[in-house]
Amino acid sequence: MEVFLIRVLQLILALTILVFLHEGGHFFFAKLFGVRVEKFYIFFDWKFSLFKFKPKKSDTEYGIGWIPLGGYCKIAGMIDESFDTEQMKQPEQPWEFRTKPTWQRLLIMIGGVLVNFLLALFIYSQILFWWGDSYIPVKDMTLGMKFNQEAKSYGFKDGDILVGTEKREFKEFGANLYRDISEAHRVDIIRDGKPMSISLPGEINMLNMIKADPAFVRPLMPAVVDSIIPGTPAAKIGMQKGDKILALNGAPIDSYNEFTDQLGRRLDMLMTSKSSADSLKARTVVIAFGNDARTDTTQVVLTPDLKLGFVVKNVMGLYQPKTVEYSFLESIPAGIKYGWNVLASYVDDMKYVFTAEGAKSLGGFGAIGSLFPPMWDWYMFWKMTAFLSIILAFMNILPIPALDGGHVLFLLYEMITRRKPSENFMIKAEYVGFGLLILLMVAANLNDILRWLGYM
């Protein structure tokens, strides 16, 4: 429960910051050009609000809504998500959005996206300034990688040390490594101390690489016990720090990766069990472990979530991280470059959204919240906030009615043709766009529920 609350608080704080500054971008340009802002809300206030106030001699009501799906600026003389059609029937006023020149209306509409994008670049710059860029170079992972059967069909072997592709050297293990391999025609590796190359088709589906079970490639982790959790099956059978897992149900274990893969197969048995006897059978395994002085083989019943109860060293414990530090001035161009690469990667990955697997991968608030760490970590919080700011900027500039990008599209049409779309058309387009967004949001959050129930 504590982990859940910590993630919820991080998500709410991040969304509050992003929504406030996004709507602040619209607000700034509206005020700059003398356009009246009637309401400025963080989150939506359908039926009622949690808090609101209106300063004396101000045209703007400020408040906090109760539905954390975004926020809004209600700009006078504009067709937006408030669907205030009565106002549009009144005579035009000089302080309304609709009476301003097209270029001013365009800046008002892109103000939110612009602020979110600049905010992301600023946060990335400050992350580099305060924490630096700490990572483990892939080529320094001297134990190599563990590959699945698809990867092995291309010529990879367990223990291969990845170096790079024909485009660039691998930096760190993560999404960019998968992306580079998926687009590569050649991957350079070190095998048994000798450099060599593997030819690839250049168009492997990255989403399938990541979602495969086991994944296409993972850092190879030794099956060596680093610590024992008291009271667990591992403690009861006398497992000790330094022991190596040798076999599971007679199958040799060459790495911790292989051990978890074997347990994953037991999970399939556990999920299909129809009785307590079936469940007990799925949880019962024969394990061989030991060190140079002894070898033990024993039957053990795993925990209900198929855990034995020991911990191995993670990647950060196996290798020495490399840290690049930046001065304040150096962090600015480095942060801009980092943020631009994040945006480019996100845009490139959007092609998978339009596939069946991509649609299943959509996530709502549950998926977004799970990206935050289970313990409060300001480094990860700001990194995730910057990433969400990039996403918010990109999604809002898409040419969909009800989003900023939809309004921008109609304004560009007006600038080119010198004709405004009719108010009736704009209202209908707003309804259609708003409906599409609701359907997308329902689908994304339904995916979260199905994943939680174990159906996806």
Side-chain angles (χ1 to χ4, degrees):
M1 188 63 179
E2 182 182 354
V3 169
F4 173 77
L5 290 175
I6 289 173
R7 282 178 164 154
V8 168
L9 288 173
Q10 289 180 92
L11 176 61
I12 291 175
L13 178 58
L15 289 178
T16 301
I17 293 170
L18 296 179
V19 169
F20 175 78
L21 293 176
H22 176 91
E23 299 304 330
H26 296 307
F27 184 90
F28 171 78
F29 283 105
K31 288 296 187 179
L32 181 65
F33 300 130
V35 177
R36 183 175 295 175
V37 178
E38 297 175 350
K39 297 179 77 172
F40 183 96
Y41 266 73
I42 297 173
F43 305 146
F44 291 116
D45 61 329
W46 183 64
K47 298 295 185 180
F48 69 94
S49 60
L50 298 177
F51 167 79
K52 65 180 179 180
F53 77 99
K54 188 174 183 179
K56 291 181 179 180
K57 298 181 181 180
S58 173
D59 299 314
T60 307
E61 176 185 295
Y62 301 89
I64 300 175
W66 63 277
I67 306 177
L69 301 180
Y72 70 99
C73 267
K74 188 177 184 303
I75 297 174
M78 175 184 167
I79 298 170
D80 58 12
E81 59 268 30
S82 67
F83 298 108
D84 186 359
T85 56
E86 290 302 315
Q87 184 184 72
M88 303 303 292
K89 295 176 183 178
Q90 304 302 316
E92 293 184 354
Q93 301 296 330
W95 35 261
E96 288 186 328
F97 177 84
R98 55 182 166 171
T99 63
K100 299 301 178 180
T102 312
W103 68 271
Q104 291 185 3
R105 285 181 280 142
L106 184 64
L107 285 174
I108 293 172
M109 291 317 307
I110 67 172
V113 169
L114 181 63
V115 167
N116 278 133
F117 186 62
L118 293 177
L119 173 66
L121 300 183
F122 174 76
I123 292 175
Y124 282 131
S125 296
Q126 291 305 296
I127 287 174
L128 293 176
F129 173 63
W130 289 101
W131 285 282
D133 186 11
S134 186
Y135 63 96
I136 298 172
V138 176
K139 66 179 182 180
D140 290 351
M141 295 183 179
T142 52
L143 294 175
M145 298 287 161
K146 181 76 173 177
F147 299 91
N148 68 8
Q149 289 303 314
E150 181 190 7
K152 290 176 181 177
S153 71
Y154 290 115
F156 291 104
K157 289 186 178 181
D158 291 341
D160 286 348
I161 300 172
L162 297 174
V163 177
T165 69
E166 72 273 14
K167 292 183 179 179
R168 60 181 174 180
E169 184 178 285
F170 295 126
K171 180 185 176 185
E172 59 186 319
F173 187 86
N176 284 332
L177 180 139
Y178 274 93
R179 186 176 295 104
D180 287 350
I181 292 177
S182 71
E183 299 171 352
H185 291 278
R186 188 194 80 236
V187 175
D188 299 323
I189 65 170
I190 296 175
R191 179 179 295 169
D192 299 327
K194 299 178 181 179
M196 61 179 294
S197 297
I198 292 175
S199 297
L200 295 179
E203 50 183 21
I204 304 175
N205 187 295
M206 187 186 81
L207 186 61
N208 290 340
M209 292 169 66
I210 296 174
K211 288 175 66 67
D213 188 18
F216 189 92
V217 57
R218 297 162 291 167
L220 196 150
M221 309 287 290
V224 178
V225 177
D226 187 56
S227 62
I228 302 293
I229 301 173
T232 60
K236 293 176 183 178
I237 62 175
M239 193 173 283
Q240 303 172 16
K241 179 177 180 177
D243 282 348
K244 183 176 181 181
I245 308 300
L246 304 173
L248 187 69
N249 290 332
I253 299 297
D254 62 2
S255 63
Y256 183 67
N257 311 80
E258 181 64 27
F259 178 74
T260 56
D261 292 346
Q262 293 285 349
L263 290 184
R265 298 185 184 101
R266 310 297 294 184
L267 179 61
D268 294 335
M269 293 175 57
L270 187 63
M271 295 295 290
T272 56
S273 61
K274 298 180 180 179
S275 65
S276 57
D278 290 339
S279 175
L280 181 62
K281 183 179 179 180
R283 292 167 53 202
T284 303
V285 297
V286 176
I287 186 166
F289 62 95
N291 50 41
D292 294 338
R294 76 181 208 291
T295 299
D296 294 321
T297 301
T298 185
Q299 182 173 286
V300 62
V301 178
L302 304 174
T303 63
D305 58 349
L306 294 182
K307 301 295 184 184
L308 189 55
F310 70 91
V311 178
V312 299
K313 286 185 178 180
N314 59 23
V315 174
M316 296 298 284
L318 290 172
Y319 305 106
Q320 182 66 37
K322 175 182 178 181
T323 301
V324 180
E325 296 184 348
Y326 295 87
S327 67
F328 183 78
L329 292 179
E330 290 172 335
S331 70
I332 296 173
I336 292 172
K337 181 180 179 182
Y338 189 101
W340 185 258
N341 288 337
V342 170
L343 175 62
S345 299
Y346 182 75
V347 172
D348 184 60
D349 294 344
M350 283 297 291
K351 60 177 179 266
Y352 295 111
V353 173
F354 303 101
T355 65
E357 282 301 313
K360 292 179 183 178
S361 298
L362 287 175
F365 291 105
I368 296 172
S370 67
L371 296 175
F372 286 94
M375 296 180 291
W376 199 283
D377 182 325
W378 283 112
Y379 169 79
M380 289 304 301
F381 170 79
W382 287 116
K383 197 169 184 179
M384 271 305 306
T385 301
F387 179 60
L388 291 178
S389 195
I390 289 277
I391 294 176
L392 185 60
F394 177 76
M395 295 301 293
N396 261 284
I397 204 62
L398 292 176
I400 300 173
L403 291 178
D404 296 342
H407 291 282
V408 169
L409 178 66
F410 296 136
L411 285 169
L412 291 176
Y413 167 83
E414 182 182 339
M415 293 176 74
I416 294 170
T417 64
R418 304 292 181 181
R419 291 189 302 168
K420 280 187 179 182
S422 70
E423 290 181 2
N424 185 49
F425 170 81
M426 293 290 289
I427 291 170
K428 289 180 178 178
E430 194 76 13
Y431 274 113
V432 170
F434 198 75
L436 288 174
L437 293 178
I438 293 296
L439 287 174
L440 181 62
M441 193 171 296
V442 169
N445 285 283
L446 180 60
N447 281 353
D448 285 350
I449 295 172
L450 292 175
R451 275 190 284 267
W452 181 68
L453 293 175
Y455 291 105
M456 289 183 67

